Amino acid sequence: MYKQELTIIVKSIIDSNTVSEQLESAQQLSCFYKNIISCTHSDDNETLVNGGVALSSSGAADCVDDYLRTVSFIKGIHKALTRLFINSPEKSINILYAGCGPYATLILPLLPLFDKGRISVVLIDINRSSLESVQNLVSTIGLEDYNLQMIETNAITYKIPDDFKVDLAISETMHYALTREPQIAISGNIIKQLPCEAIFIPQEIRIDLAYTFFDYEQSLRVNVNEVKGYKEMQPYPHKVFVDRLFTINKEHFERENSNSRIESTFYTLPDIFENYPDVCLFTEIKIFEDIELQTAESYITNPYCLVSMYGIKDYSEIKLVYDFSEIPKWSYQLK
Ligand SMILES: C[S@@+](CC[C@H](N)C(=O)[O-])C[C@H]1O[C@@H](n2cnc3c(N)ncnc32)[C@H](O)[C@@H]1O
């Protein structure tokens, strides 16, 4: 019964086109989970690792309510999986999901759409109670026939076993502007171990520098029911794009060694800046191919204000530094 209900919901997510359809289908998924879950999610198991903060089980459960995020990731993963199944009709598909949280939101709903004999999933989380919750859901929904393995470990140091050749790896462990959570440390560790033809989702995270008026920028604030699609938003007209600071993708980790610091060049600060006094960072995510999350469509793509030029007006140039050796953060140097 639950499997059937989940299948209807996930199909409505995949078929959704307008923002209101996407919102409605994601809300249905959220209610589905909340109705069938039999345990409460712990909110005291937030874990600090070298590379960022792993959310508590309760914080991770709440991510399902970042509606466009949830819908876009599920659509992207569905598209990637469909591609893999078509391209390798004889083969079983191996999936690694790093940071699955208590709902395994980005893979569990999709399982009923695929042949259980051809799919193997390794689900990783640092929080045991999240994995227990996933195990519970698997039994309640009736997905025990799928080949699912749950591993309590740190995804930043996890070594993929030699006999598990990953076709698709997934990790959504990020906060806006790549602050706080360990997306980069996890992606680096996993991507380095993937076969070259494997897909990693998200395929690309782009961080842009702009001078703008932060308070006038679109941002998804407290009420997720007021989520807007990018095309419905009014862009702030005086925003000045400065540069793309970096693009995180498979190629990035093939180029970079184990450096946990990324520095930009120096950028000239404008002399007159009353229309754009804030030095801000903007995040865009390419989940898979044409499926993207743009600025302010989700919490994880909200803009981030690093500093106001009113506070640094005696300097003429700024350099930005991203450091993810501990909790990922941005800082700046002035010249
Ligand atoms: C932002 S939540 C997302 C949960 C779920 N994937 C979703 O999309 O709704 C990130 C999850 O990754 C887990 N996580 C973060 N860092 C981790 C690490 N280093 N190793 C294993 N799990 C980690 C957290 O415990 C949390 O459950």
Side-chain angles (χ1 to χ4, degrees), residues 82-283:
T82 306
R83 174 79 46 81
L84 287 167
F85 271 87
I86 292 170
N87 287 353
S88 318
E90 306 302 321
K91 195 173 138 326
S92 180
I93 302 298
N94 290 339
I95 302 168
L96 178 72
Y97 184 1
C100 60
Y103 294 153
T105 309
L106 307 183
I107 199 69
L108 211 66
L110 287 164
L111 292 179
L113 303 184
F114 294 95
D115 177 356
K116 55 177 172 286
R118 286 194 55 206
I119 207 161
S120 298
V121 190
V122 168
L123 300 119
I124 292 177
D125 207 282
I126 207 160
N127 283 324
R128 174 177 303 197
S129 69
S130 289
L131 294 170
E132 286 167 355
S133 160
V134 175
Q135 187 61 65
N136 226 300
L137 285 168
V138 167
S139 322
T140 310
I141 299 169
L143 298 168
E144 304 99 321
D145 293 351
Y146 284 81
N147 185 8
L148 310 175
Q149 195 190 348
M150 278 145 229
I151 303 180
E152 179 193 347
T153 188
N154 181 354
I156 297 169
T157 49
Y158 174 69
K159 165 97 177 62
I160 302 174
D162 293 339
D163 60 357
F164 191 74
K165 188 169 167 284
V166 176
D167 299 291
L168 171 65
I170 304 160
S171 191
E172 193 288 88
T173 43
M174 66 177 283
H175 197 56
Y176 53 75
L178 292 172
T179 54
R180 198 169 143 73
E181 289 184 61
Q183 179 79 34
I184 301 303
I186 292 178
S187 307
N189 177 45
I190 301 295
I191 286 174
K192 273 185 273 169
Q193 302 180 63
L194 294 181
C196 57
E197 67 281 8
I199 299 170
F200 185 84
I201 285 184
Q203 274 186 320
E204 211 161 85
I205 302 170
R206 304 184 282 260
I207 302 285
D208 291 341
L209 169 66
Y211 303 144
T212 186
F213 214 123
F214 184 65
D215 285 347
Y216 296 147
E217 279 294 342
Q218 297 281 344
S219 183
L220 179 59
R221 302 199 199 260
V222 189
N223 190 352
V224 278
N225 294 314
E226 286 172 8
V227 64
K228 284 191 196 138
Y230 190 64
K231 291 186 190 135
E232 298 164 289
M233 293 181 202
Q234 292 301 317
Y236 174 64
H238 303 295
K239 170 177 167 179
V240 179
F241 171 82
V242 181
D243 200 6
R244 174 143 298 163
L245 293 179
F246 55 73
T247 300
I248 297 292
N249 50 20
K250 278 180 85 180
E251 293 71 41
H252 171 88
F253 292 107
E254 278 154 18
R255 264 193 329 269
E256 293 295 314
N257 44 32
S258 52
N259 204 349
S260 55
R261 195 177 153 93
I262 304 174
E263 288 188 20
S264 75
T265 53
F266 274 99
Y267 298 102
T268 306
L269 290 162
D271 292 331
I272 298 166
F273 49 78
E274 60 185 6
N275 283 329
Y276 36 84
D278 298 314
V279 178
C280 292
L281 298 166
F282 289 80
T283 309

